[in-house]
Amino acid sequence: MSIFEYNGSALVAMVGKNCFAIASDRRLGVHLQTVATDFQRIFKIHDKLFLGLSGLGSDAQTLHQRLVFRHKLYQLREERDMKPETFASLVSAVLYEKRFGPYFCQPVIAGLGDDDKPFICTMDSIGAKELAKDFVVAGTASESLYGACESMFKPDMDHEELFETVSQALISSIDRDCLSGWGGHVYVVTPTEVTERILKGRMD
Amino acid sequence: MECVFGMVGKDFALVVADTSAVNSILVHKSNEDKIMVLDNHKLMGASGEAGDRAQFTEYVQKNVSLYQFRNGIPLTTKAAANFIRGELATALRKNPYQVNIILAGYEKETGLSLYFIDYIATLHKVDKAAFGYGSYFALSMMDRHYHPDMTVEEAVKLADQCIDEIRSRLVVAPQNFVIKIVDKDGAREHSWRRTTKE
Protein backbone atom coordinates (compact mmCIF):
# COMPACT_ATOMS: atom_id res chain seq x y z
CA MET A 1 0.00 0.00 0.00
CA SER A 2 1.31 3.45 -0.82
CA ILE A 3 2.30 5.86 1.94
CA PHE A 4 -0.53 8.17 0.83
CA GLU A 5 -2.97 5.44 1.74
CA TYR A 6 -1.53 4.74 5.20
CA ASN A 7 -4.05 6.81 7.13
CA GLY A 8 -6.87 7.15 4.58
CA SER A 9 -8.52 10.47 3.78
CA ALA A 10 -11.08 12.21 1.57
CA LEU A 11 -11.34 15.92 0.85
CA VAL A 12 -13.50 18.02 -1.42
CA ALA A 13 -13.96 21.75 -1.95
CA MET A 14 -16.69 23.30 -4.07
CA VAL A 15 -17.53 26.80 -5.27
CA GLY A 16 -20.97 28.38 -5.01
CA LYS A 17 -22.38 31.87 -5.50
CA ASN A 18 -20.19 34.09 -3.28
CA CYS A 19 -19.52 31.14 -1.01
CA PHE A 20 -17.55 27.93 -0.87
CA ALA A 21 -17.74 24.61 0.94
CA ILE A 22 -14.89 22.39 2.09
CA ALA A 23 -15.55 18.92 3.43
CA SER A 24 -13.57 15.92 4.68
CA ASP A 25 -14.11 12.48 6.10
CA ARG A 26 -13.39 11.77 9.79
CA ARG A 27 -11.51 8.47 9.83
CA LEU A 28 -7.97 8.09 11.10
CA GLY A 29 -6.66 4.65 10.28
CA VAL A 30 -3.44 2.67 10.30
CA HIS A 31 -3.72 0.57 7.14
CA LEU A 32 -6.87 -1.50 7.62
CA GLN A 33 -7.38 -0.69 11.31
CA THR A 34 -9.43 2.33 12.39
CA VAL A 35 -7.81 4.27 15.21
CA ALA A 36 -10.17 7.24 15.57
CA THR A 37 -13.43 8.52 14.11
CA ASP A 38 -13.07 12.22 14.83
CA PHE A 39 -9.84 13.19 13.08
CA GLN A 40 -9.59 16.79 11.94
CA ARG A 41 -8.32 17.30 8.39
CA ILE A 42 -9.58 20.80 7.68
CA PHE A 43 -7.88 23.73 9.39
CA LYS A 44 -8.89 27.37 9.54
CA ILE A 45 -6.08 29.72 8.57
CA HIS A 46 -8.23 32.81 8.92
CA ASP A 47 -11.95 33.56 8.76
CA LYS A 48 -12.03 33.41 4.98
CA LEU A 49 -9.36 30.81 4.28
CA PHE A 50 -9.46 27.09 4.99
CA LEU A 51 -6.85 24.43 4.33
CA GLY A 52 -7.57 20.73 4.00
CA LEU A 53 -4.72 18.24 4.11
CA SER A 54 -5.13 14.69 2.83
CA GLY A 55 -2.55 11.92 2.84
CA LEU A 56 -0.22 10.97 5.68
CA GLY A 57 -1.63 12.27 8.99
CA SER A 58 1.76 13.02 10.51
CA ASP A 59 2.89 15.16 7.55
CA ALA A 60 -0.53 16.86 7.52
CA GLN A 61 0.01 17.88 11.15
CA THR A 62 3.59 19.03 10.50
CA LEU A 63 2.58 21.00 7.39
CA HIS A 64 -0.33 22.60 9.22
CA GLN A 65 1.99 23.77 12.00
CA ARG A 66 4.53 25.16 9.52
CA LEU A 67 1.89 26.97 7.45
CA VAL A 68 0.14 28.49 10.46
CA PHE A 69 3.57 29.71 11.59
CA ARG A 70 4.25 31.30 8.18
CA HIS A 71 0.81 32.89 8.11
CA LYS A 72 1.19 34.33 11.61
CA LEU A 73 4.53 35.88 10.59
CA TYR A 74 2.86 37.31 7.49
CA GLN A 75 0.08 38.78 9.66
CA LEU A 76 2.65 40.43 11.93
CA ARG A 77 4.60 41.93 9.04
CA GLU A 78 1.76 42.91 6.70
CA GLU A 79 -0.87 43.61 9.40
CA ARG A 80 -3.51 41.79 7.38
CA ASP A 81 -4.63 38.28 6.45
CA MET A 82 -3.21 36.45 3.45
CA LYS A 83 -5.24 36.27 0.27
CA PRO A 84 -6.12 32.72 -0.78
CA GLU A 85 -4.12 33.02 -4.00
CA THR A 86 -1.05 34.11 -2.05
CA PHE A 87 -1.51 31.32 0.48
CA ALA A 88 -1.76 28.78 -2.32
CA SER A 89 1.56 30.01 -3.71
CA LEU A 90 3.06 29.77 -0.21
CA VAL A 91 1.90 26.17 0.19
CA SER A 92 3.24 25.33 -3.25
CA ALA A 93 6.65 26.80 -2.35
CA VAL A 94 6.78 25.02 1.02
CA LEU A 95 6.02 21.70 -0.67
CA TYR A 96 8.54 22.17 -3.50
CA GLU A 97 11.28 22.96 -0.95
CA LYS A 98 11.09 19.26 -0.12
CA ARG A 99 11.12 18.18 -3.77
CA PHE A 100 13.49 15.24 -3.19
CA GLY A 101 12.06 14.20 0.17
CA PRO A 102 8.45 15.39 0.00
CA TYR A 103 5.66 15.73 2.49
CA PHE A 104 3.18 12.97 1.68
CA CYS A 105 0.18 15.30 1.60
CA GLN A 106 -2.21 16.70 -0.96
CA PRO A 107 -3.56 20.04 0.19
CA VAL A 108 -6.92 21.51 -0.74
CA ILE A 109 -7.14 25.27 -0.28
CA ALA A 110 -10.43 27.15 -0.26
CA GLY A 111 -11.00 30.81 0.49
CA LEU A 112 -12.83 34.02 -0.31
CA GLY A 113 -10.53 36.44 -2.11
CA ASP A 114 -10.96 40.07 -3.13
CA ASP A 115 -14.61 41.13 -3.30
CA ASP A 116 -15.45 37.83 -1.59
CA LYS A 117 -14.89 35.91 -4.79
CA PRO A 118 -14.53 32.19 -3.95
CA PHE A 119 -11.17 30.57 -4.70
CA ILE A 120 -10.31 26.88 -4.58
CA CYS A 121 -7.25 24.95 -5.58
CA THR A 122 -5.50 21.69 -4.95
CA MET A 123 -1.94 20.56 -5.54
CA ASP A 124 0.06 17.37 -5.58
CA SER A 125 2.62 16.47 -2.94
CA ILE A 126 5.37 18.55 -4.58
CA GLY A 127 3.32 21.68 -5.07
CA ALA A 128 1.90 21.57 -8.60
CA LYS A 129 -1.10 23.88 -8.33
CA GLU A 130 -4.38 22.99 -9.96
CA LEU A 131 -6.86 25.87 -9.96
CA ALA A 132 -10.46 25.04 -10.69
CA LYS A 133 -13.62 27.03 -11.11
CA ASP A 134 -16.01 24.37 -9.83
CA PHE A 135 -14.59 21.76 -7.44
CA VAL A 136 -11.37 20.09 -6.33
CA VAL A 137 -10.88 16.72 -4.64
CA ALA A 138 -8.08 14.85 -2.87
CA GLY A 139 -7.48 11.69 -0.90
CA THR A 140 -7.98 7.95 -1.22
CA ALA A 141 -11.57 8.45 -2.39
CA SER A 142 -10.61 11.05 -5.01
CA GLU A 143 -11.69 9.01 -8.02
CA SER A 144 -15.18 8.45 -6.61
CA LEU A 145 -15.30 12.09 -5.59
CA TYR A 146 -14.47 13.27 -9.13
CA GLY A 147 -17.40 11.29 -10.49
CA ALA A 148 -19.84 12.31 -7.78
CA CYS A 149 -18.93 16.02 -7.98
CA GLU A 150 -19.00 16.10 -11.78
CA SER A 151 -22.52 14.75 -11.87
CA MET A 152 -23.93 16.72 -8.93
CA PHE A 153 -22.27 20.11 -9.44
CA LYS A 154 -24.20 23.11 -10.75
CA PRO A 155 -22.70 26.60 -11.06
CA ASP A 156 -23.86 29.44 -8.80
CA MET A 157 -25.51 27.42 -6.04
CA ASP A 158 -26.46 29.29 -2.88
CA HIS A 159 -24.97 28.16 0.41
CA GLU A 160 -27.80 25.81 1.38
CA GLU A 161 -27.88 24.01 -1.94
CA LEU A 162 -24.09 23.92 -1.96
CA PHE A 163 -24.08 22.25 1.45
CA GLU A 164 -26.50 19.58 0.22
CA THR A 165 -24.48 18.94 -2.92
CA VAL A 166 -21.11 18.72 -1.19
CA SER A 167 -22.53 16.48 1.53
CA GLN A 168 -24.12 14.06 -0.92
CA ALA A 169 -21.00 13.91 -3.08
CA LEU A 170 -18.76 13.32 -0.06
CA ILE A 171 -20.91 10.70 1.65
CA SER A 172 -21.59 8.69 -1.49
CA SER A 173 -17.86 8.60 -2.31
CA ILE A 174 -16.48 7.78 1.13
CA ASP A 175 -19.12 5.11 1.71
CA ARG A 176 -17.54 3.19 -1.15
CA ASP A 177 -13.96 3.67 0.03
CA CYS A 178 -12.77 1.42 2.82
CA LEU A 179 -9.96 3.74 3.92
CA SER A 180 -12.08 6.84 4.45
CA GLY A 181 -15.43 7.30 6.10
CA TRP A 182 -16.99 7.41 9.56
CA GLY A 183 -19.05 10.43 8.58
CA GLY A 184 -18.18 13.82 7.20
CA HIS A 185 -17.15 17.24 8.39
CA VAL A 186 -18.44 20.12 6.24
CA TYR A 187 -17.60 23.82 6.45
CA VAL A 188 -19.71 26.24 4.38
CA VAL A 189 -18.23 29.74 4.25
CA THR A 190 -20.05 32.86 3.11
CA PRO A 191 -18.78 36.46 3.44
CA THR A 192 -20.74 36.83 6.68
CA GLU A 193 -20.55 33.47 8.45
CA VAL A 194 -18.93 30.07 8.69
CA THR A 195 -21.16 27.04 9.27
CA GLU A 196 -19.65 23.81 10.49
CA ARG A 197 -21.66 20.59 10.32
CA ILE A 198 -21.01 16.92 11.02
CA LEU A 199 -22.56 14.35 8.69
CA LYS A 200 -23.46 10.76 9.47
CA GLY A 201 -22.69 8.20 6.81
CA ARG A 202 -21.91 4.50 6.89
CA MET A 203 -20.12 4.06 10.20
CA ASP A 204 -17.72 1.40 9.05
CA MET B 1 4.08 -9.40 19.79
CA GLU B 2 4.15 -6.42 22.11
CA CYS B 3 0.84 -5.08 23.33
CA VAL B 4 0.09 -1.71 24.85
CA PHE B 5 -3.39 -0.36 25.35
CA GLY B 6 -5.11 2.34 27.36
CA MET B 7 -8.49 3.85 28.16
CA VAL B 8 -9.96 6.87 29.91
CA GLY B 9 -12.47 6.36 32.74
CA LYS B 10 -14.55 8.70 34.86
CA ASP B 11 -11.67 10.49 36.60
CA PHE B 12 -8.71 8.24 35.87
CA ALA B 13 -6.87 6.70 32.94
CA LEU B 14 -5.54 3.18 32.66
CA VAL B 15 -2.52 2.09 30.64
CA VAL B 16 -1.77 -1.63 30.25
CA ALA B 17 1.33 -3.13 28.69
CA ASP B 18 2.88 -6.54 28.34
CA THR B 19 6.18 -7.03 30.15
CA SER B 20 8.13 -9.35 27.88
CA ALA B 21 11.53 -8.48 26.43
CA VAL B 22 11.99 -10.70 23.39
CA ASN B 23 14.81 -11.28 20.92
CA SER B 24 13.66 -13.46 17.99
CA ILE B 25 12.66 -16.74 19.68
CA LEU B 26 14.19 -16.02 23.08
CA VAL B 27 12.36 -14.34 25.97
CA HIS B 28 15.06 -12.39 27.81
CA LYS B 29 12.82 -11.34 30.68
CA SER B 30 9.13 -11.21 31.55
CA ASN B 31 9.14 -8.26 33.92
CA GLU B 32 10.26 -5.42 31.64
CA ASP B 33 8.36 -2.27 32.58
CA LYS B 34 7.25 -0.54 29.40
CA ILE B 35 5.05 2.08 31.04
CA MET B 36 7.22 4.98 32.12
CA VAL B 37 6.04 7.41 34.79
CA LEU B 38 7.00 10.77 33.28
CA ASP B 39 6.13 12.84 36.30
CA ASN B 40 3.61 12.84 39.12
CA HIS B 41 0.59 12.83 36.84
CA LYS B 42 1.72 11.35 33.53
CA LEU B 43 2.08 7.82 32.22
CA MET B 44 3.68 6.87 28.94
CA GLY B 45 3.23 3.33 27.64
CA ALA B 46 5.55 2.52 24.75
CA SER B 47 5.91 -0.38 22.34
CA GLY B 48 8.23 -1.05 19.45
CA GLU B 49 11.93 -1.62 18.76
CA ALA B 50 13.52 -2.42 22.13
CA GLY B 51 16.52 -0.06 22.00
CA ASP B 52 14.51 2.82 20.54
CA ARG B 53 11.81 2.32 23.16
CA ALA B 54 14.20 2.43 26.11
CA GLN B 55 16.24 5.36 24.74
CA PHE B 56 13.35 7.49 23.52
CA THR B 57 11.19 7.09 26.61
CA GLU B 58 14.11 7.99 28.87
CA TYR B 59 14.87 11.00 26.66
CA VAL B 60 11.28 12.19 26.93
CA GLN B 61 11.21 11.64 30.70
CA LYS B 62 14.40 13.63 31.23
CA ASN B 63 13.17 16.49 29.06
CA VAL B 64 9.83 16.60 30.87
CA SER B 65 11.74 16.83 34.18
CA LEU B 66 14.04 19.52 32.74
CA TYR B 67 11.06 21.66 31.78
CA GLN B 68 9.76 21.38 35.33
CA PHE B 69 13.12 22.33 36.81
CA ARG B 70 13.55 25.29 34.48
CA ASN B 71 10.04 26.66 34.70
CA GLY B 72 8.83 25.56 38.11
CA ILE B 73 5.62 24.07 36.75
CA PRO B 74 5.00 20.73 35.06
CA LEU B 75 4.17 20.39 31.38
CA THR B 76 0.51 19.82 30.55
CA THR B 77 -0.33 16.46 28.99
CA LYS B 78 -1.13 18.16 25.69
CA ALA B 79 2.22 19.93 25.71
CA ALA B 80 4.06 16.72 26.52
CA ALA B 81 2.21 14.92 23.72
CA ASN B 82 3.13 17.64 21.24
CA PHE B 83 6.75 17.57 22.43
CA ILE B 84 6.88 13.82 21.84
CA ARG B 85 5.29 14.24 18.41
CA GLY B 86 7.79 16.98 17.52
CA GLU B 87 10.77 14.79 18.46
CA LEU B 88 9.41 11.84 16.50
CA ALA B 89 8.59 14.05 13.48
CA THR B 90 12.06 15.65 13.44
CA ALA B 91 13.77 12.28 13.63
CA LEU B 92 11.39 10.72 11.10
CA ARG B 93 13.30 11.67 7.98
CA LYS B 94 16.76 11.24 9.48
CA ASN B 95 16.82 8.37 11.91
CA PRO B 96 13.29 7.32 12.83
CA TYR B 97 12.40 6.04 16.28
CA GLN B 98 10.29 2.90 15.89
CA VAL B 99 8.28 3.53 19.04
CA ASN B 100 4.51 3.74 19.41
CA ILE B 101 3.32 5.65 22.46
CA ILE B 102 0.18 5.95 24.54
CA LEU B 103 0.38 8.99 26.81
CA ALA B 104 -2.07 9.45 29.69
CA GLY B 105 -2.07 12.45 31.99
CA TYR B 106 -4.08 14.44 34.49
CA GLU B 107 -4.29 18.19 35.08
CA LYS B 108 -6.59 20.03 37.44
CA GLU B 109 -7.70 22.44 34.70
CA THR B 110 -8.44 20.00 31.88
CA GLY B 111 -8.81 16.69 33.72
CA LEU B 112 -7.75 13.48 32.06
CA SER B 113 -6.48 12.97 28.56
CA LEU B 114 -5.16 10.06 26.56
CA TYR B 115 -3.03 10.55 23.45
CA PHE B 116 -2.25 8.10 20.66
CA ILE B 117 1.17 8.78 19.11
CA ASP B 118 2.23 6.62 16.20
CA TYR B 119 5.87 5.91 15.31
CA ILE B 120 5.35 8.13 12.24
CA ALA B 121 4.39 10.96 14.63
CA THR B 122 0.64 10.94 14.06
CA LEU B 123 -0.90 12.53 17.16
CA HIS B 124 -4.52 12.20 18.20
CA LYS B 125 -6.42 12.66 21.45
CA VAL B 126 -8.58 9.59 22.06
CA ASP B 127 -10.64 7.77 24.69
CA LYS B 128 -9.13 4.36 24.01
CA ALA B 129 -6.06 3.25 22.13
CA ALA B 130 -4.02 0.13 21.47
CA PHE B 131 -0.82 -0.85 19.65
CA GLY B 132 0.68 -4.09 18.43
CA TYR B 133 -0.90 -7.37 17.37
CA GLY B 134 -2.85 -7.30 20.63
CA SER B 135 -4.60 -4.17 19.39
CA TYR B 136 -6.80 -6.26 17.09
CA PHE B 137 -8.28 -7.92 20.17
CA ALA B 138 -8.03 -5.08 22.68
CA LEU B 139 -9.67 -2.47 20.42
CA SER B 140 -12.54 -4.77 19.56
CA MET B 141 -13.14 -5.66 23.22
CA MET B 142 -13.04 -1.99 24.15
CA ASP B 143 -15.37 -1.04 21.28
CA ARG B 144 -17.87 -3.50 22.67
CA HIS B 145 -17.63 -2.87 26.41
CA TYR B 146 -16.20 0.61 26.84
CA HIS B 147 -18.46 3.51 27.80
CA PRO B 148 -17.53 6.96 29.04
CA ASP B 149 -17.39 7.47 32.81
CA MET B 150 -16.42 3.93 33.76
CA THR B 151 -15.37 3.28 37.35
CA VAL B 152 -11.94 1.86 38.18
CA GLU B 153 -13.45 -1.58 38.81
CA GLU B 154 -15.23 -1.61 35.47
CA ALA B 155 -12.14 -0.43 33.61
CA VAL B 156 -9.86 -3.01 35.25
CA LYS B 157 -12.46 -5.68 34.44
CA LEU B 158 -12.41 -4.53 30.80
CA ALA B 159 -8.60 -4.56 30.82
CA ASP B 160 -8.74 -8.11 32.14
CA GLN B 161 -11.12 -9.10 29.38
CA CYS B 162 -8.71 -7.64 26.82
CA ILE B 163 -5.76 -9.46 28.40
CA ASP B 164 -7.71 -12.75 28.43
CA GLU B 165 -8.55 -12.31 24.78
CA ILE B 166 -4.92 -11.58 23.89
CA ARG B 167 -3.75 -14.60 25.89
CA SER B 168 -6.20 -16.97 24.28
CA ARG B 169 -6.11 -15.73 20.68
CA LEU B 170 -2.61 -14.41 19.97
CA VAL B 171 -0.27 -17.16 18.77
CA VAL B 172 2.77 -15.94 20.73
CA ALA B 173 1.02 -14.19 23.57
CA PRO B 174 3.05 -12.29 26.16
CA GLN B 175 3.18 -13.97 29.54
CA ASN B 176 2.77 -11.08 31.97
CA PHE B 177 1.06 -7.70 31.91
CA VAL B 178 1.31 -4.61 34.08
CA ILE B 179 -1.55 -2.17 34.69
CA LYS B 180 -0.80 1.40 35.68
CA ILE B 181 -3.30 4.10 36.58
CA VAL B 182 -3.22 7.90 36.68
CA ASP B 183 -5.78 10.07 38.45
CA LYS B 184 -5.87 13.21 40.56
CA ASP B 185 -3.80 11.47 43.23
CA GLY B 186 -0.98 10.72 40.83
CA ALA B 187 0.43 8.12 38.49
CA ARG B 188 1.18 4.73 39.98
CA GLU B 189 1.32 1.02 39.36
CA HIS B 190 -2.04 -0.64 39.86
CA SER B 191 -1.41 -4.35 39.51
CA TRP B 192 0.23 -7.15 37.54
CA ARG B 193 -1.30 -10.05 35.66
CA ARG B 194 1.20 -12.88 35.75
CA THR B 195 1.33 -16.35 34.26
CA THR B 196 5.06 -16.80 34.90
CA LYS B 197 6.90 -15.68 37.99
CA GLU B 198 10.19 -13.86 37.71
Side-chain angles (χ1 to χ4, degrees), chain B residues 88-143:
Chain B
L88 286 169
T90 313
L92 182 62
R93 283 172 159 88
K94 294 184 189 119
N95 190 6
Y97 293 110
Q98 303 235 29
V99 194
N100 299 307
I101 283 167
I102 294 179
L103 179 73
Y106 171 82
E107 283 90 48
K108 231 166 38 158
E109 300 81 18
T110 49
L112 276 154
S113 28
L114 189 74
Y115 288 90
F116 163 101
I117 309 168
D118 211 331
Y119 75 101
I120 316 190
T122 317
L123 171 68
H124 196 56
K125 184 170 180 303
V126 291
D127 284 336
K128 49 188 178 338
F131 283 111
Y133 284 116
S135 68
Y136 292 117
F137 311 107
L139 277 177
S140 302
M141 276 316 244
M142 290 195 284
D143 281 340

Side-chain angles (χ1 to χ4, degrees), chain A residues 36-158:
Chain A
T37 56
D38 57 356
F39 193 62
Q40 178 93 331
R41 279 200 177 82
I42 299 177
F43 306 102
K44 187 175 98 156
I45 304 293
H46 62 77
D47 281 334
K48 292 185 180 175
L49 177 59
F50 282 75
L51 169 72
L53 287 163
S54 71
L56 191 65
S58 165
D59 280 350
Q61 289 172 333
T62 306
L63 250 188
H64 161 58
Q65 287 171 343
R66 282 194 66 188
L67 291 167
V68 162
F69 167 73
R70 295 290 298 264
H71 183 254
K72 281 184 177 173
L73 263 183
Y74 183 94
Q75 274 178 323
L76 283 171
R77 288 179 178 139
E78 300 257 336
E79 293 180 357
R80 65 180 177 90
D81 291 329
M82 245 191 215
K83 282 192 250 183
E85 295 86 356
T86 319
F87 186 72
S89 294
L90 170 66
V91 177
S92 176
V94 165
L95 289 173
Y96 196 78
E97 268 176 357
K98 304 279 185 196
R99 169 64 177 84
F100 298 108
Y103 290 115
F104 299 110
C105 285
Q106 267 183 292
V108 163
I109 294 151
L112 291 173
D114 289 335
D115 301 324
D116 291 329
K117 188 162 177 296
F119 169 87
I120 51 169
C121 91
T122 185
M123 50 193 84
D124 67 4
S125 58
I126 48 175
K129 260 188 288 186
E130 188 205 305
L131 308 171
K133 293 197 173 68
D134 40 16
F135 57 86
V136 290
V137 302
T140 51
S142 58
E143 271 140 22
S144 289
L145 278 164
Y146 272 124
C149 290
E150 194 69 64
S151 55
M152 296 186 201
F153 180 80
K154 288 196 321 272
D156 289 331
M157 288 184 278
D158 69 15

